[in-house]
Amino acid sequence: MSQPLTDATHLSERERECLELCRQAVEVCEWCADECAGRDGMTECVRHCRDVTDIASLHCKLLARGSAHREALAGLCATVCRECAEECRQHDHDHCRACAEVLTECAEVCEAMVK
């Protein structure tokens, strides 16, 4: 059985942490978007969650293969995570609150990748 990428030695500690948080961001945004779909006034939340899911998924792939573009994408990932967290904070649903919490942490770690 192979090791998960979060244990991979080819990644730095910061990259492993970022990879794990991006994976969590994808998971929580999929849940949030699914819960918000079809609810009145939740269209923007769904759109933001889908943006995070797409960008964070791509960022995971670039991190895993050590792409030279992983740092550039980290900045974009941080931006979409912050925007989505801000949107989610406007709603009083468990999934939105959980989403905002994970995305805030993911944004911080992604920002650290570009510094």
Side-chain angles (χ1 to χ4, degrees):
M1 182 179 263
S2 63
Q3 291 182 327
L5 282 177
T6 53
D7 293 334
T9 57
H10 73 284
L11 299 175
S12 70
E13 173 100 16
R14 184 185 321 182
E15 288 170 328
R16 287 192 299 272
E17 181 181 18
C18 191
L19 179 66
E20 175 58 22
L21 283 165
C22 284
R23 187 202 56 76
Q24 288 178 27
V26 169
E27 188 175 305
V28 75
C29 281
E30 287 287 353
W31 174 45
C32 189
D34 188 57
E35 292 292 322
C36 290
R39 291 185 189 212
D40 287 341
M42 300 305 289
T43 302
E44 284 303 307
C45 192
V46 172
R47 286 183 181 155
H48 283 289
C49 283
R50 287 181 176 160
D51 284 351
V52 170
T53 298
D54 290 343
I55 298 300
S57 293
L58 179 57
H59 194 223
C60 285
K61 292 176 185 180
L62 297 184
L63 281 166
R65 66 176 167 247
S67 171
H69 303 289
R70 65 191 181 277
E71 289 181 15
L73 193 57
L76 178 58
C77 193
T79 298
V80 296
C81 283
R82 288 224 184 269
E83 289 173 355
C84 189
E86 186 177 310
E87 175 64 30
C88 284
R89 280 190 203 93
Q90 296 178 37
H91 308 290
D92 191 32
H93 304 289
D94 289 342
H95 49 88
C96 288
R97 285 193 300 272
C99 196
E101 184 178 318
V102 170
L103 295 182
T104 299
E105 192 174 356
C106 186
E108 290 170 4
V109 171
C110 284
E111 286 169 350
M113 291 276 302
V114 283
K115 292 181 180 174

